[in-house]
Amino acid sequence: MSTLVARLDHNVGPGLSPERAEAVAEIVSRPCFGALSRVALASGDRRVAHAPKSGRQVAEYLTDPRCDAVVLDNGREGPLVAVGRVATGRTLVRSALKRPAQLTSYCVIPLDGCPVDEVVRATCDLAVALEAVSGAISTEPTLDEAEAFALWVWDDRSLGAALARLGEERLRERAARAYFLADLDERIAAPEWGLFLSAGHLRAIGVSKLVRSGVFEVVRELVPGELAYLQLTKDVRDALGPGFAASLARARETLRPILMDSSGIPEAVWKTV
């Protein structure tokens, strides 16, 4: 089943501010995320306190001192087809190392019947609320591949399927995000159907240049000089189509000043399972 996946890398925790928690809870409770009908509290490796999703419940869990992340899914009835996670910020650590985006929040929902435009708008609002450092939206053939896209954690089957579909070069390109974590605020790993660029990216390649390139169907400035959303084509299903490689190639040329160099990434990184 084809799935839409949206991922945001951020360093701001909604669980550390009641106002921000309320804003995030409102966004993830919108009808476009209706496939995510159940919510739970994640503390370390444990998931507890499963409950029907509501804005009030999400906000309560986000600010719970035990909660590392709010986890969402489509509930116990039927197969697992939709998952999501909102990191609260309680795992943030202070370090002398440059760590511009320690947190990742994401959602994966079935593409059939999905109000894509509404999900994109909601993800843009979430990117603003979380002060996203980077992010992407794509379509993947399965839930497993979509979660791997979000977290770069594979099993043998999904990695094999992705390698056959995308090829080594594309997988290595996507793996750059995990390999160059310290550079997320200045460079992006790869072009995708939808992209979020933050201040460091926009200083290197301005919004006006992105518009003039004619490569992107959408160039939307979410916070002037601080956050922008780019979209390659009108239809997210294009990301699985035969002509999408050409769209990616044009995007690479335009985004070259902010692309990570994936050529030297070891196989042990892009092939990790």
Side-chain angles (χ1 to χ4, degrees):
M1 178 187 295
S2 296
T3 59
L4 184 147
V5 52
R7 178 195 73 224
L8 296 171
D9 300 307
H10 55 105
N11 227 26
V12 168
L16 308 181
S17 160
E19 294 77 17
R20 202 182 298 268
E22 291 285 348
V24 169
E26 182 277 322
I27 295 166
V28 301
S29 299
R30 291 178 188 176
C32 63
F33 291 129
L36 297 167
S37 59
R38 185 174 69 158
V39 63
L41 181 156
S43 179
D45 295 330
R46 298 176 62 244
R47 298 183 183 186
V48 298
H50 289 83
K53 185 184 72 176
S54 68
R56 180 177 180 180
Q57 191 67 74
V58 172
E60 180 180 321
Y61 282 176
L62 282 172
T63 53
D64 190 305
R66 301 170 296 167
C67 188
D68 297 330
V70 170
V71 180
L72 306 107
D73 61 27
N74 58 290
R76 297 179 62 182
E77 294 185 9
L80 184 66
V81 296
V83 294
R85 182 180 179 92
V86 181
T88 65
R90 301 195 184 280
T91 59
L92 284 168
V93 297
R94 296 185 181 277
S95 170
L97 299 175
K98 184 185 176 189
R99 303 185 69 180
Q102 297 183 47
L103 308 173
T104 297
S105 297
Y106 69 94
C107 73
V108 175
I109 52 181
L111 192 53
D112 288 349
C114 174
V116 175
D117 289 345
E118 293 176 31
V119 171
V120 169
R121 282 193 292 271
T123 305
C124 287
D125 290 344
L126 193 59
V128 173
L130 296 175
E131 299 181 24
V133 172
S134 65
I137 301 176
S138 183
T139 296
E140 302 297 312
T142 66
L143 183 144
D144 286 345
E145 288 183 64
E147 277 206 282
F149 172 84
L151 298 174
W152 205 254
V153 177
W154 298 89
D155 60 31
D156 289 325
R157 184 176 63 178
S158 58
L159 179 61
L163 182 58
R165 178 173 62 91
L166 298 171
E168 178 181 326
E169 182 178 357
R170 180 75 168 133
L171 277 184
R172 182 184 286 112
E173 183 181 53
R174 283 182 163 185
R177 169 175 160 264
Y179 195 63
F180 297 114
L181 287 173
D183 298 333
L184 282 177
D185 58 340
E186 297 175 347
R187 297 184 180 275
I188 63 170
E192 300 292 350
W193 180 81
L195 286 171
F196 292 90
L197 305 183
S198 59
H201 310 122
L202 296 174
R203 284 194 294 270
I205 182 169
V207 169
S208 59
K209 180 178 179 180
L210 294 167
V211 172
R212 289 196 306 271
S213 73
V215 169
F216 303 97
E217 178 77 19
V218 175
V219 178
R220 186 180 304 157
E221 200 166 18
L222 304 177
V223 180
E226 298 291 328
L227 188 63
Y229 172 68
L230 316 180
Q231 186 174 299
L232 264 178
T233 70
K234 186 174 182 179
D235 189 348
V236 72
R237 292 170 179 80
D238 292 339
L240 294 178
F244 195 60
S247 296
L248 291 174
R250 290 190 293 271
R252 282 188 194 94
E253 287 304 310
T254 300
L255 297 170
R256 194 162 300 282
I258 59 170
L259 283 182
M260 296 170 178
D261 180 6
S262 61
S263 61
I265 294 179
E267 183 177 287
V269 174
W270 68 264
K271 244 183 171 179
T272 297
V273 295

